[in-house]
Amino acid sequence: MSRQLIFNIFRYNPQDPGSLPRTDTFILEETPSMTLFIALNRIREEQDPSLQFDFACRMAICGSCGMVINGRPGLACKTLTKELPAEITLMPLPVFKLVGDLSVDTGTWFRTTNTKIQSWIHTDQEFDPAVVEERMENDLANAIFELERCIECGCCVAACGTANMREDFVGAFALNRIARFMLDPRDQRSEAEYFEVVGTDQGVFGCMGLLACEDVCPRELPLQDQLGILRRKMGFISLKSLFKPKARAAS
Amino acid sequence: MSGIDTAIYVRQPSRTAAYLDWLQMLTGAGLILFMWSHMVLVASVNLGPQVMNTIAYFFEATYMAQVGGPIIGATMLLHFILAARKIPYTSGEQGAIWRHAKMLHHTDTWLWLIQAFTAMVILVMGSIHIWTVLTNLPITAAKSAMRVQTGFWGVFYLILLPCVELHVGIGFYRILVKWGLIKRSGRKGLHRFENVLTGVFILIGLITIIRFWTLPV
Amino acid sequence: MEYQTFYTDLLCIGAGLAGERVAVEAAANGFETILLSLVPPRRSHSCAAEGGMQASLGNCAMGEGDNPDIHFADTVKGSDWGCDQEVARIFADTAPIAVREAAFWGIPWNRVVAGKAVYYKSGQEFEAVEPQDRHGLITARAFGGTAKWRTCYTADGTGHTLLYTLDNKVTQLGVTVHDRVEAISLIHDGANCLGCVARDLKTGRLRVYLAKATLIATGGYGRLYSETTNTVINEGGGHIVALDTGLVPFGNPEAVQFHPTGIVPTNILVTEGCRGDGGTLLDVDEKRFMDKYEPAKAELASRDVVSRWMMYHIAQGKGVPSPYGDHLWLDIRHLGQKHITTKLREVYDLCRHFLGVDPIHQLIPVRPAQHYSMGGVRTDKNGAAYGLQGLFSAGESACWDMHGFNRLGGNSLAETIVGGRYIGQKVAQYLAGAEAHFDTALVRQFVARDQERIKRLVSGADGKQNVYEIRAAMQDEMMERVGIFRNGADLQKAVENLQAIYARAKKIGLRSNGLGASPELNLALKMPGMLRLAICVAYGALVRTESRGCHARDDYQARNDRDWLNRTLAYWPEAAADLPVLKYEPATKVMYLPPGDRGYGKVEIIPMDAPKEVRP
Ligand SMILES: Cc1cc2nc3c(=O)[nH]c(=O)nc-3n(C[C@H](O)[C@H](O)[C@H](O)COP(=O)(O)OP(=O)(O)OC[C@H]3O[C@@H](n4cnc5c(N)ncnc54)[C@H](O)[C@@H]3O)c2cc1C
Ligand code: HEM
Ligand code: HEM
Ligand code: SF4
Ligand code: F3S
Ligand code: FES
């Protein structure tokens, strides 16, 4: 009943002068409920201890294990082998810098991008420990949470043709993140300030609507909708200033 | 260090990217509308050469062809200049998108590549076509039939037609999803609609070309 | 070998919630701070916490009348009186502030919706009216072992939103983050901690971090066990480097919590929120059983109690047989599609993706798994570690000790940001007065020691033992004999077996070339240290001849307040030894709440003033 799985895995260790980019093949017997997390660890423990890949939570919640699985970026820990053909090809995510084999440096990329888009609540208020919290509608809290669910796995970035062509494109993740802050009344940024961050060709106007982001996002974030809303919002902000050229951004 | 300061630079942010995106979309949409009207004009030959002549005459009598024609030409040029910003022109970028598309097996990404490729075809062949037709007014069914039946023109249209319809169909779909006019739930349906639309238009176009071919000159 | 050196005021080893919260406090006070993490900070284990964090806001109807006193009492009872009551007090008082501060920074806490609401408790539906005047304030849900509904949450991604919000704060403040860097030893001069030697996990190169203050916030050590809900990076890295100094004690190593509901076979946790919201546990006959063992609290008794009854019930032959061993069922079907797909969405996704089970219509296979490490780097109430000046610890890695022998659900996320806030302030105060000078010769000595270790592992100078086999042997041993039920004979055996495995661990040799990030070298460097931790846990458990909280001994079933109302301090002063030196200190200096009955779980107690028996 159990299949012999054939794994074709991209190999390259940039720190090893003797290593060249290549594909290695491993064969493994499939077991019930086997995920790529189980399979890769078995390969490392039983066949090749130098194999590099990243897992942390192994429950699709930390975003560590993004890789290209038979051509599609996805989370390895949440991929059941029984949903794949017997031959499985694994490659590291493109766009990000390679650490080795299937492991890429998403940390630096996301930190840089989050800094660029200023991914935090902007407010000039001070926290007062003696005062009860500001009220918020529960529905709004849920709506914010819905967009906050991104785990920065990088799949949307790796799957995006634009991001693959243009290094400076911030990717769907960042546009979704900005949409989250725009929903949040605690963030006092003005329209113009948001525009500054994403109303550019590196931001929402760089997106060509390829929608691979939407199709691969393991958290099923509503990226298509958020990108559309954001493009419209930014589009209209630009028109407004066309008719009111004096309106300056208050910082 | 990125610094603690959250204030954003005081200068007015550049709106250029936004304006260009608007223009790209509007010129694209305008061209779509034109291509649909164009289809009505040209395909009317199927109802009889006389019908086409009448419509053509109407356009010329109102000077819509003489003025509108060049405007369409200019729009196409503008649209091209705008959209060309998105087309990969360094070999590095071309390689990247090509490798990427081959890896991903993702319909919408392929559709974009088709759009970019057909755009090139349209740029060249569309220009030739417009030039030829507009320097040879008035438009009549007979003249068109003659053209289609001479030289390579038949083949020319057989190539241009699917390119245009694909480009238009994909462009139509893309405008709606990019600007959020169609939501996540409507995307599948829109995709199907776009396919049908493209298919139907190619079919009508083919019938039209055949009609021109077989129209006695 | 060349190495890079970084200087800073505060070095945080660990960038989970605790590390980041301390870093934010230090940075906000103007101190230069570097965060180290094995993974990008947002991938730290903290992001996996689903259920929520406790703070006695008392906003929701079922939390009416809650206050820090009740939270304090719940925490002390939960700890089975093993906690430091001063710390528990500080904690309960600060928790509401920390939650509001988090709200201020952007957490989308779920809010009170005024009007009638339908809830479940123990599978029963009931109605409550949420008060109009608290509409829009932060709401709470029920968690085990609490008198009031006190667990603040964001749907079921509380750890995720907290961690992302804090990391945003870190980004905003411009704190330096070095991810994929692993601390492999502390640098100290016998009295002061000066920083650490670390390995860059992108290139494999060594680095030195020198700091006026060093914080260990490396999370738990769940991966000592084969079945654990913890992420794969929770290998006790911080405990290892602290214990290796020989000066810093490992507090209460034997205090290990098991969670009742890990899914079978992957041990992924389904949140206590399931039971809090009204989910029930069923046996092979699809019948409830917790209501028979614990009539008052049923499924919502504290974790240790529920875990033990589950194992007991399985032992009675009531488990559901499966290829992965016997398990029980968790039933949330009656909560309905809407509730499951919104409030318990994470659980919903998890069951479908990792089990192929639809919890709206099907039962979820569950079994207890290791979940939380109460023990850790022993600190005083200010978070300062025993034994070394300038060393601090916070979060799960610390034995600040508000959890004693059992942590309540929702109290550990709270500990990270409440303790992080408090300890952060203390660290900032310390830094304000701290002078540091770094002896380069000493630093070089520490680096040389680690270089030598690496060289020997790569060349196989000490032997050719396979590191993965050693890890598996250790994990199985821990699960089998140092698990939920413990007894003297098994623990004795466990200590001996672990010592034998430890001997093998000293002879590890790599099979790969060890170049670059090398995962094999990475584990090999840690392996002997992990075994030392494992031996501390087993030995601490062996010596503690009572049952308290999660530490349940079949052969000593009573909680013995006369002899064991204390905290284990495990030291490893002799590098060559294969047993720690155990010392003890009173569980708490200040006793606000004298030992008593927890109101759930077992009742057998040997009181503090019971006459000494003469044991043979
Ligand atoms: C599945 C699950 C669900 C949970 N749900 C809840 C809940 O609902 N409520 C609740 O209160 N608690 C919950 N907990 C517990 C809670 O999540 C943790 O106790 C808490 O997040 C620990 O945070 P921390 O900051 O101390 O450590 P972690 O978040 O584990 O962070 C540790 C950090 O240290 C770094 N690190 C480790 N070793 C080294 C090293 N050698 N060098 C450098 N860096 C290192 C890691 O990279 C990481 O950044 C849950 C736990 C689990 C397992
Ligand atoms: C001169 C030749 C043409 C070129 C080079 C060209 C190029 C392109 C390109 C590259 C795009 C993709 C832009 C993006 O994704 O952002 C595009 C989009 C589009 N094109 Fe063209 N095109 C040409 C002619 C036409 C014509 C004749 C039509 C209509 C009949 C047309 C209609 C559209 C539409 C509707 C879009 C979608 C616009 C958008 O996404 O915003 N194009 N075009
Ligand atoms: C500027 C105004 C235009 C005019 C007046 C015009 C007119 C015509 C006419 C008269 C024909 C019939 C064949 C012939 O006479 O050769 C024709 C066919 C065709 N035209 Fe145009 N055209 C215009 C612009 C365009 C553009 C911009 C495109 C696309 C890029 C285009 C694509 C086609 C195609 C594909 C055919 C083949 C016929 C068919 O649809 O089956 N035309 N056009
Ligand atoms: S948006 Fe989705 S795919 Fe992109 S990083 Fe976030 S979770 Fe991953
Ligand atoms: S794939 Fe890329 S181009 Fe836009 S729609 Fe998604 S970001
Ligand atoms: S390991 Fe965390 S998402 Fe896969």
Side-chain angles (χ1 to χ4, degrees):
Chain A
M1 180 211 115
S2 71
R3 298 186 292 174
Q4 292 290 109
L5 299 176
I6 302 164
F7 288 88
N8 301 314
I9 300 180
F10 173 86
R11 301 300 305 275
Y12 178 51
N13 181 358
Q15 303 298 326
D16 178 355
S19 167
L20 288 173
R22 63 184 192 279
T23 302
D24 279 358
T25 300
F26 300 95
I27 294 177
L28 208 59
E29 188 165 322
E30 189 171 34
T31 52
S33 308
M34 185 186 248
T35 59
L36 290 182
F37 165 70
I38 296 171
L40 283 170
N41 274 292
R42 271 190 54 194
I43 292 175
R44 175 146 89 193
E45 285 166 28
E46 295 162 17
Q47 303 188 28
D48 187 340
S50 68
L51 182 62
Q52 296 183 45
F53 49 76
D54 296 319
F55 288 99
C57 69
R58 54 83 182 90
M59 56 190 279
I61 208 162
C62 76
S64 295
C65 63
M67 59 183 72
V68 180
I69 304 157
N70 284 349
R72 278 282 173 131
L75 295 179
C77 68
K78 141 174 187 184
T79 305
L80 290 158
T81 53
K82 73 166 188 224
E83 288 163 2
L84 297 172
E87 185 155 354
I88 299 169
T89 302
L90 302 176
M91 310 258 284
L93 289 184
V95 181
F96 304 100
K97 199 170 162 228
L98 185 76
V99 173
D101 302 341
L102 300 174
S103 170
V104 293
D105 181 6
T106 49
T108 310
W109 195 94
F110 277 102
R111 188 155 294 278
T112 313
T113 310
N114 275 321
T115 309
K116 199 157 41 173
I117 63 165
Q118 308 191 2
S119 161
W120 56 83
I121 297 272
H122 290 54
T123 177
D124 48 24
Q125 281 174 322
E126 289 278 340
F127 172 66
D128 181 352
V131 178
V132 292
E133 64 275 15
E134 243 176 76
R135 288 169 201 258
M136 179 184 269
E137 285 302 316
N138 195 46
D139 287 343
L140 177 59
N142 280 329
I144 295 173
F145 178 72
E146 184 61 24
L147 304 189
E148 181 100 2
R149 290 171 53 253
C150 165
I151 54 174
E152 299 193 351
C153 62
C155 290
C156 60
V157 179
C160 172
T162 311
N164 273 270
M165 278 193 290
R166 312 208 194 292
E167 230 169 58
D168 54 1
F169 178 56
V170 296
F173 116 86
L175 300 171
N176 172 72
R177 182 57 47 75
I178 285 299
R180 174 246 176 273
F181 285 111
M182 290 179 77
L183 266 188
D184 196 327
R186 290 168 291 201
D187 196 319
Q188 298 172 337
R189 271 181 275 190
S190 66
E191 282 187 341
E193 284 169 304
Y194 284 122
F195 189 91
E196 170 87 11
V197 176
V198 288
T200 60
D201 271 336
Q202 291 75 50
V204 72
F205 297 119
C207 162
M208 306 195 297
L210 302 178
L211 293 187
C213 52
E214 160 98 3
D215 294 336
V216 301
C217 176
R219 303 283 283 174
E220 293 170 17
L221 283 157
L223 296 176
Q224 176 194 340
D225 294 352
Q226 291 310 318
L227 289 166
I229 293 170
L230 200 62
R231 186 184 291 270
R232 281 210 307 274
K233 272 197 186 142
M234 291 301 146
F236 283 115
I237 292 173
S238 74
L239 287 191
K240 256 194 252 168
S241 75
L242 191 62
F243 296 118
K244 263 197 306 177
K246 284 277 143 60
R248 287 281 142 128
S251 301
Chain B
M1 269 318 73
S2 62
I4 311 174
D5 188 6
T6 58
I8 300 177
Y9 328 111
V10 197
R11 78 181 160 75
Q12 175 81 334
S14 161
R15 312 284 188 203
T16 320
Y19 297 148
L20 295 185
D21 204 56
W22 272 115
L23 277 178
Q24 179 188 318
M25 185 270 276
L26 291 173
T27 52
L31 288 169
I32 291 177
L33 290 179
F34 168 74
M35 286 317 295
W36 288 345
S37 339
H38 175 283
M39 183 57 75
V40 173
L41 165 76
V42 180
S44 61
V45 72
N46 294 313
L47 302 176
Q50 206 42 51
V51 184
M52 177 174 165
N53 289 342
T54 313
I55 298 178
Y57 176 74
F58 170 75
F59 279 118
E60 272 147 47
T62 54
Y63 285 91
M64 267 163 75
Q66 292 89 328
V67 182
I71 290 182
I72 291 302
T75 309
M76 195 171 92
L77 201 67
L78 178 61
H79 171 80
F80 161 69
I81 292 167
L82 291 167
R85 295 175 307 139
K86 310 283 177 184
I87 294 186
Y89 45 89
T90 70
S91 58
E93 286 174 3
Q94 282 164 5
I97 188 75
W98 183 244
R99 266 196 313 276
H100 174 71
K102 275 199 305 195
M103 170 197 94
L104 197 61
H105 318 299
H106 180 251
T107 320
D108 283 29
T109 302
W110 276 116
L111 288 183
W112 185 84
L113 276 178
I114 292 175
Q115 203 181 16
F117 173 77
T118 54
M120 293 308 161
V121 176
I122 298 171
L123 176 64
V124 177
M125 297 181 91
S127 307
I128 297 172
H129 165 67
I130 295 179
W131 184 261
T132 317
V133 175
L134 289 185
T135 51
N136 202 1
L137 289 178
I139 297 170
T140 66
K143 255 204 256 174
S144 295
M146 195 137 79
R147 195 159 32 233
V148 172
Q149 290 172 28
T150 27
F152 282 111
W153 281 106
V155 182
F156 179 93
Y157 285 130
L158 282 179
I159 296 171
L160 182 58
L161 171 74
C163 286
V164 171
E165 297 309 347
L166 279 170
H167 192 94
V168 167
I170 299 168
F172 175 69
Y173 164 80
R174 186 141 284 145
I175 286 178
L176 293 183
V177 293
K178 265 166 90 172
W179 290 81
L181 301 171
I182 291 290
K183 291 284 205 188
R184 171 181 261 187
S185 55
R187 176 160 162 232
K188 254 212 184 107
L190 178 65
H191 228 300
R192 219 171 302 124
F193 178 73
E194 176 227 317
N195 287 340
V196 172
L197 196 77
T198 308
V200 167
F201 275 114
I202 292 182
L203 193 70
I204 297 178
L206 279 177
I207 294 172
T208 309
I209 295 176
I210 293 169
R211 179 77 182 127
F212 278 129
W213 219 319
T214 53
L215 207 67
V217 214
Chain C
M1 212 200 280
E2 278 302 303
Y3 56 87
Q4 252 183 310
T5 307
F6 300 86
Y7 294 88
T8 182
D9 292 329
L10 172 63
L11 173 69
C12 291
I13 305 176
L17 277 172
E20 293 214 313
R21 186 61 192 84
V22 172
V24 163
E25 201 64 37
N29 281 288
F31 294 104
E32 212 181 299
T33 303
I34 298 182
L35 279 163
L36 304 187
S37 175
L38 302 176
V39 291
R42 294 176 185 211
R43 313 213 189 291
S44 298
H45 173 64
S46 292
C47 76
E50 297 162 336
M53 65 164 277
Q54 289 199 42
S56 55
L57 298 173
N59 287 332
C60 65
M62 299 300 293
E64 184 78 51
D66 199 10
N67 61 44
D69 294 338
I70 307 179
H71 189 184
F72 167 77
D74 281 346
T75 303
V76 175
K77 284 184 206 164
S79 80
D80 223 353
W81 276 270
C83 73
D84 181 329
Q85 297 197 9
E86 266 182 292
V87 168
R89 190 73 244 180
I90 295 169
F91 163 76
D93 288 344
T94 321
I97 298 174
V99 167
R100 291 187 180 124
E101 184 179 55
F104 182 77
W105 287 343
I107 301 287
W109 294 116
N110 278 78
R111 303 291 176 140
V112 175
V113 179
K116 251 189 226 158
V118 177
Y119 297 114
Y120 288 88
K121 189 146 194 162
S122 310
Q124 299 296 310
E125 198 178 294
F126 71 95
E127 249 179 35
V129 180
E130 294 294 347
Q132 194 65 48
D133 63 327
R134 294 204 286 269
H135 180 80
L137 295 177
I138 297 168
T139 191
R141 58 162 57 129
F143 250 29
T146 65
K148 304 276 180 187
W149 286 24
R150 186 188 297 133
T151 306
C152 309
Y153 63 99
T154 54
D156 49 12
T158 315
H160 172 89
T161 52
L162 274 170
L163 188 58
Y164 274 56
T165 301
L166 264 180
D167 198 48
N168 284 341
K169 201 75 197 151
V170 160
T171 312
Q172 178 188 359
L173 291 170
V175 174
T176 307
V177 176
H178 290 178
D179 68 33
R180 288 177 184 262
V181 174
E182 171 157 21
I184 56 171
S185 57
L186 289 181
I187 301 174
H188 66 91
D189 59 12
N192 304 291
C193 181
L194 306 175
C196 76
V197 182
R199 188 163 163 267
D200 177 346
L201 301 181
K202 289 175 200 161
T203 62
R205 283 192 271 274
L206 291 188
R207 294 177 172 187
V208 165
Y209 290 87
L210 297 176
K212 290 184 191 157
T214 303
L215 175 88
I216 294 179
T218 52
Y221 43 87
R223 289 282 154 182
L224 298 183
Y225 288 85
S226 55
E227 273 154 47
T228 171
T229 62
N230 286 194
T231 62
V232 300
I233 59 169
N234 279 10
E235 295 180 314
H239 306 93
I240 294 172
V241 297
L243 193 66
D244 282 358
T245 62
L247 301 165
V248 182
F250 184 3
N252 278 347
E254 68 270 33
V256 178
Q257 184 179 69
F258 288 76
H259 196 286
T261 51
I263 61 172
V264 181
T266 38
N267 304 307
I268 297 173
L269 176 87
V270 291
T271 171
E272 189 152 331
C274 288
R275 282 172 297 129
D277 289 1
T280 53
L281 291 168
L282 306 181
D283 61 18
V284 65
D285 309 319
E286 302 197 7
K287 286 221 177 71
R288 276 183 78 190
F289 55 90
M290 277 308 298
D291 53 342
K292 300 194 184 68
Y293 296 125
E294 292 289 331
K297 293 248 171 184
E299 278 85 356
L300 288 178
S302 73
R303 290 179 177 172
D304 54 328
V305 173
V306 177
S307 293
R308 273 202 301 274
W309 285 129
M310 287 171 74
M311 294 310 279
Y312 178 78
H313 204 63
I314 290 176
Q316 303 307 301
K318 290 292 191 180
V320 185
S322 88
Y324 307 102
D326 289 357
H327 61 76
L328 294 160
W329 298 116
L330 174 66
D331 184 7
I332 58 171
R333 294 173 300 184
H334 51 284
L335 301 182
Q337 167 158 7
K338 180 151 183 276
H339 189 99
I340 295 173
T341 54
T342 54
K343 291 212 167 164
L344 296 172
R345 173 156 156 187
E346 227 71 51
V347 175
Y348 178 62
D349 288 348
L350 192 148
C351 288
R352 285 177 312 147
H353 296 309
F354 299 90
L355 285 176
V357 162
D358 176 359
I360 299 172
H361 305 291
Q362 288 168 286
L363 299 170
I364 310 168
V366 293
R367 176 171 66 196
Q370 191 285 345
H371 183 54
Y372 189 80
S373 323
M374 273 80 68
V377 177
R378 176 62 184 145
T379 72
D380 66 14
K381 67 179 178 197
N382 293 334
Y386 285 18
L388 279 178
Q389 273 277 345
L391 181 65
F392 294 82
S393 184
E396 188 169 345
S397 62
C399 184
W400 189 37
D401 220 6
M402 49 170 282
H403 301 304
F405 278 79
N406 176 53
R407 148 191 85 115
L408 293 184
N411 253 359
S412 54
L413 275 188
E415 176 184 12
T416 61
I417 65 164
V418 176
R421 188 175 196 274
Y422 185 82
I423 293 165
Q425 286 164 356
K426 300 296 168 192
V427 168
Q429 282 165 16
Y430 174 84
L431 282 171
E435 279 298 328
H437 89 116
F438 305 108
D439 175 353
T440 39
L442 182 73
V443 172
R444 219 170 290 130
Q445 215 176 307
F446 274 91
V447 181
R449 204 186 62 179
D450 283 324
Q451 280 169 341
E452 179 65 20
R453 276 167 72 199
I454 292 174
K455 219 169 76 196
R456 298 186 77 82
L457 286 169
V458 173
S459 67
D462 301 318
K464 268 292 181 191
Q465 289 287 338
N466 179 334
V467 67
Y468 295 109
E469 285 168 14
I470 289 179
R471 181 175 66 180
M474 173 195 73
Q475 290 175 333
D476 290 343
E477 187 64 35
M478 291 296 283
M479 203 67 214
E480 198 161 317
R481 297 198 177 81
V482 200
I484 301 175
F485 282 118
R486 300 170 172 182
N487 66 66
D490 276 354
L491 289 168
Q492 181 62 46
K493 188 115 210 285
V495 170
E496 285 160 18
N497 289 347
L498 288 168
Q499 284 172 323
I501 301 168
Y502 180 44
R504 279 168 61 199
K506 290 177 171 169
K507 299 197 180 111
I508 291 170
L510 297 195
R511 287 175 296 154
S512 64
N513 62 17
L515 290 176
S518 182
E520 192 189 18
L521 175 57
N522 190 15
L523 183 60
L525 275 168
K526 256 187 301 220
M527 204 60 237
M530 283 174 77
L531 271 150
R532 285 192 286 272
L533 299 185
I535 293 172
C536 287
V537 176
Y539 189 53
L542 171 65
V543 176
R544 183 172 285 275
T545 47
E546 65 155 354
S547 291
R548 182 181 297 275
C550 297
H551 174 67
R553 290 274 302 248
D554 296 341
D555 46 354
Y556 294 91
Q557 295 195 357
R559 188 183 84 203
N560 184 343
D561 291 332
R562 181 192 61 207
D563 303 319
W564 289 105
L565 191 59
N566 60 16
R567 178 175 303 105
T568 310
L569 298 176
Y571 291 83
W572 205 289
E574 280 297 320
D578 62 0
L579 262 193
V581 173
L582 299 188
K583 297 183 182 166
Y584 292 88
E585 67 174 8
T588 183
K589 283 190 207 137
V590 186
M591 186 79 78
Y592 298 111
L593 191 65
D597 183 5
R598 297 164 97 187
Y600 46 82
K602 68 181 168 302
V603 281
E604 196 188 338
I605 295 171
I606 300 173
M608 287 168 78
D609 49 10
K612 288 261 179 212
E613 317 161 11
V614 200
R615 264 196 239 112

